[in-house]
Amino acid sequence: MSRSKMTNDYDGITRDYSHKHDLVYENVYLPSHAPPEWKDRSVLWNAVEETEKTKDSRLAREIIVALPIELTLDENIALLENYVQSQFVSDGMCADVGIHDTDGHNPHAHIMLTVRPLKADGTWQAKTEKEYLCIRGSEEKAFTASEFILAQKDGWEKQYLYLVNGKKRYLPPSKAGGYERLNKHRKSSKYGRQNPIIERWNSKEQLMVRRSAWADAI
């Protein structure tokens, strides 16, 4: 996209696209709390790669927008920059931008966006948070670790796996009696709770907001 030469620290492979000549502008835009060294896209995307641990992790989101041929390059840069800053960077995303224009008749921009929010200290937030399935009386409810601190005061208990009359069963400690606890793991939901920022970024509603904002900008 940026027609640059980059080495992926994960696999050690260097990819060089600098021989292509359709790039007319490129830049990396960062939120104020992002590490300043991420202005180097190689550092940015290797930091993204490093934090994702599963083989099917999403590393980025790409948005492609057509630019008006009636505008000069500088005008299109200003148009695109305002859009990227207001719609993505101000919302906490890092944006790697490149404008391509092979023959002057199809100017368009590729916007590569990070998909994991940043904490105030510039480190990545978690995509999901573990949810513990807690019990109070006959009611079961899911709480994150921080939520459980308050819920515990209201009588909610975490559940553990016990051996009850030869069968495995989840119980709170108050109901376990003399049964043997089989392990230290608490009963939890299968996938955890998605980070609400990521959930909003991934929503169809947010996509429509981004599309409408670009239409208004044009």
Side-chain angles (χ1 to χ4, degrees):
M1 185 193 78
S2 63
R3 303 307 186 228
S4 55
K5 182 178 180 179
M6 296 172 59
T7 299
N8 186 336
D9 291 343
Y10 174 75
D11 55 21
I13 296 176
T14 298
R15 295 170 174 84
D16 187 0
Y17 300 99
S18 57
H19 60 283
K20 296 190 175 184
H21 304 295
D22 58 344
L23 181 74
V24 295
Y25 175 79
E26 54 82 17
N27 204 351
V28 175
Y29 300 93
L30 303 175
S32 59
H33 55 297
E37 59 268 24
W38 287 1
K39 283 290 288 183
D40 181 333
R41 61 175 46 85
S42 179
V43 178
L44 168 62
W45 294 113
N46 275 306
V48 169
E49 183 84 60
E50 183 179 9
T51 198
E52 302 299 345
K53 305 303 181 185
T54 60
K55 63 182 180 180
D56 59 348
S57 292
R58 172 188 280 181
L59 302 179
R61 174 181 289 107
E62 182 181 20
I63 292 178
I64 302 174
V65 295
L67 297 167
I69 60 173
E70 294 86 357
L71 300 185
T72 66
L73 175 59
D74 287 342
E75 289 170 336
N76 268 325
I77 291 172
L79 173 71
L80 182 65
E81 186 174 73
N82 289 336
Y83 175 70
V84 169
Q85 290 283 7
S86 64
Q87 294 298 313
F88 306 117
V89 178
S90 66
D91 204 15
M93 303 178 199
C94 304
D96 188 355
V97 173
I99 295 178
H100 295 177
D101 190 7
T102 305
D103 55 10
H105 298 295
N106 183 29
H108 61 278
H110 296 256
I111 307 168
M112 294 291 290
L113 302 166
T114 50
V115 296
R116 186 186 286 257
L118 290 167
K119 300 176 185 177
D121 63 359
T123 57
W124 299 110
Q125 293 186 30
K127 286 184 175 179
T128 58
E129 189 173 359
K130 197 173 186 67
E131 278 187 322
Y132 299 105
L133 295 176
C134 302
I135 194 167
R136 185 178 64 181
S138 60
E139 183 181 4
E140 187 176 68
K141 189 175 180 180
F143 297 97
T144 63
S146 58
E147 291 171 346
F148 178 71
I149 295 174
L150 296 177
Q152 189 175 24
K153 298 177 182 178
D154 291 331
W156 290 93
E157 294 182 83
K158 293 179 181 178
Q159 303 178 79
Y160 299 86
L161 196 61
Y162 291 87
L163 188 63
V164 181
N165 298 326
K167 296 181 180 180
K168 295 178 182 179
R169 183 180 172 189
Y170 278 104
L171 294 171
S174 64
K175 302 292 185 182
Y179 296 125
E180 176 190 357
R181 196 168 90 179
L182 298 178
N183 55 51
K184 63 180 181 180
H185 303 300
R186 280 80 69 183
K187 187 178 182 182
S188 58
S189 59
K190 186 175 182 180
Y191 297 109
R193 187 182 304 177
Q194 189 175 46
N195 185 312
I197 298 175
I198 295 177
E199 187 173 21
R200 176 171 58 82
W201 287 358
N202 289 342
S203 68
K204 181 179 179 180
E205 291 76 15
Q206 193 64 54
L207 173 62
M208 300 309 294
V209 168
R210 307 302 191 202
R211 290 181 59 143
S212 178
W214 180 245
D216 290 343
I218 291 295

